[in-house]
Every structure is written in C-alpha cells, then in structure tokens.
Amino acid sequence: MQDDRAQAEDGGTRIWGCSACATPTDRRNARTANLWGVFWLPVFAASVWLLKHYGEHSLAVCVGALLLGGLGMVPFVRAQLRFLREADELTRTLHFQAMGVAFGVGILAAVFGGFLGKILELATGSPVAAEKFHSLNPLLAMIVAFMVAIAVLMRRYSR
Amino acid sequence: MKNGLRTLRAEHGWSQAELARRLGVSRQTVNAIEKERYDPSLPLAFEIARLFERRIEEIFEPRAGAESRG
C-alpha cells in the first residue's frame, strides 16, 4: 500500500520501469556501448571470413584477421568502461555484481561444459551436437547469467 | 543502515524523481536508499546531507549488529 502511494506520488510510474533505472548519462553511455557492440559484429564476421578463406596458407592474413577482430573490440570495451565509470552508483553496483555472477558461471561452464556435452551426446546420440554445445557453452552461459543476474538484482533493489 | 530520507523528502514536498534529479542519481537509487536496501556511497551521503542541510549522522544511522546490504 505504502509502495503504491510512493509510486503514485512519483507520477504513478512503476520503479521497475526504465525511466527509473537509469540517468540520462547512463542511457547515453549504454547506447554508445551498444552501438560499438553492434559495430563489432560485422568486424568479427569479416575477421572470421578472412581466416576461413585466406588464413589457411598465409600467416600475415591470420595475424591481420586476429588483429582486426581484437582491435575492433577496443572501442566497445572503452565505451563499456566509460559507462561503468560514469554510471549511477546503484546501476554500477548491479553491473559489478552481475559481472561477478557471470564470471563464476562462465568458469563453471568452461570446467563442466565437457560433462554437459557428454550428457547431450548420450541423450541425442550426436557427437557433433555435443561438440558444438561444448564450444559455445561458457560464452552463452556467461551472457545468459549476466542478463538473468541484472534482472534479478534490479528486482531485488526495486521492491 | 537506517535512514530518514523518506521523511526528509516528504518534508520538502519532493517526489523521488525530483530528489533523484537534485542528487544526480536514478530514481531507483533513491527508492533503494529509502527502503534501506542500498547504502549510498560516502560522496552521495555527503551530497544528501548537504541538500537537506543536515549532518550525515542526523540522516543515516548504523543498524546495530547488522551487516550492510548495499
């Protein structure tokens, strides 16, 4: 009841809503970081394409493709660091906690991914599917864990 | 950490959004502090004290025997 009154007092918007969760600076910096992330995808695709088509017989192409993929990530990392440095302090806390969870889950997935792959192989009878699952597992697990952790933590601090 | 932020805000007739704007933080942060789910950083605590023209210890009070949740 008290919460309802507080929400009504603040214009009736639920605190869970986006307008409550970020300052204009946060939104601007997050948008910039996301754009650099999107920019990196074609760079990464180009890097993989180069490696696949020309990298087999040329060390220079291999190194160049790896540098392209790596350097293409630099603006994204810089934008992420800026987002965290300038973020609203609760937002920053949430992101650090979520990163901690994602890091732990990623390590667990990397360590136990082989076992999960084996389970998948036994269940489906397909070693190829299990292999793919194994190689994607830590990264996917980290991304999913980060997103779930952010949602749970936002809910926890907003209640 | 216990605090009297909600009372002080009400005394000034400010909404959470207005207080958040004056402090330069999100409304979620103000809400979390008021509900004692989050302890503000020292700079933010000083900013709150300055805004309400109080000393920090008049606004924030350690909860005896309880660890910080922030």
Side-chain angles (χ1 to χ4, degrees):
Chain A
M1 189 66 185
Q2 200 177 4
D3 290 351
D4 293 342
R5 274 204 304 271
Q7 280 161 14
E9 179 188 15
D10 290 323
T13 313
R14 284 191 62 78
I15 201 81
W16 177 245
C18 233
S19 63
C21 303
T23 62
T25 305
D26 288 356
R27 282 197 287 272
R28 189 190 64 227
N29 287 341
R31 194 165 48 239
T32 305
N34 290 340
L35 283 174
W36 280 118
V38 170
F39 163 80
W40 180 74
L41 292 176
V43 174
F44 172 70
S47 170
V48 170
W49 185 84
L50 275 174
L51 276 175
K52 196 174 174 184
H53 289 87
Y54 300 100
E56 214 167 292
H57 307 293
S58 168
L59 180 65
V61 171
C62 272
V63 172
L66 289 174
L67 279 175
L68 181 69
L71 291 176
M73 185 55 113
V74 170
F76 173 71
V77 172
R78 283 173 59 99
Q80 282 287 356
L81 289 174
R82 182 176 181 186
F83 169 77
L84 287 172
R85 194 172 53 246
E86 296 179 2
D88 166 65
E89 63 177 61
L90 181 58
T91 303
R92 186 165 47 227
T93 302
L94 295 180
H95 275 74
F96 281 142
Q97 289 181 354
M99 276 192 266
V101 171
F103 183 66
V105 168
I107 288 177
L108 280 177
V111 171
F112 294 112
F115 295 114
L116 294 173
K118 190 70 187 168
I119 291 169
L120 193 68
E121 184 183 335
L122 289 171
T124 62
S126 165
V128 177
E131 212 170 276
K132 280 183 181 171
F133 178 80
H134 186 186
S135 62
L136 286 174
N137 191 37
L139 183 61
L140 278 181
M142 283 178 84
I143 292 169
V144 171
F146 181 79
M147 291 169 74
V148 170
I150 285 281
V152 169
L153 288 167
M154 279 176 77
R155 199 168 170 77
R156 178 187 159 200
Y157 283 108
S158 299
R159 269 202 309 251
Chain B
M1 189 83 77
K2 290 193 287 184
N3 71 74
L5 192 60
R6 184 182 286 270
T7 310
L8 282 170
R9 179 172 64 80
E11 282 173 8
H12 284 70
W14 294 337
S15 65
Q16 286 183 345
E18 173 65 14
L19 178 57
R21 191 187 62 75
R22 287 171 186 265
L23 293 171
V25 297
S26 68
R27 187 154 65 83
Q28 189 189 30
T29 300
V30 170
N31 183 65
I33 295 170
E34 283 189 355
K35 292 189 173 169
E36 297 170 1
R37 291 184 177 279
Y38 174 71
D39 294 333
S41 66
L42 203 51
L44 181 56
F46 271 108
E47 184 61 23
I48 292 168
R50 189 196 60 75
L51 189 65
F52 290 113
E53 296 175 335
R54 303 284 178 99
R55 292 197 311 246
I56 286 182
E57 58 268 35
E58 289 178 297
I59 303 174
F60 297 97
E61 188 185 329
R63 199 186 295 273
E67 286 188 20
S68 166
R69 286 176 294 175

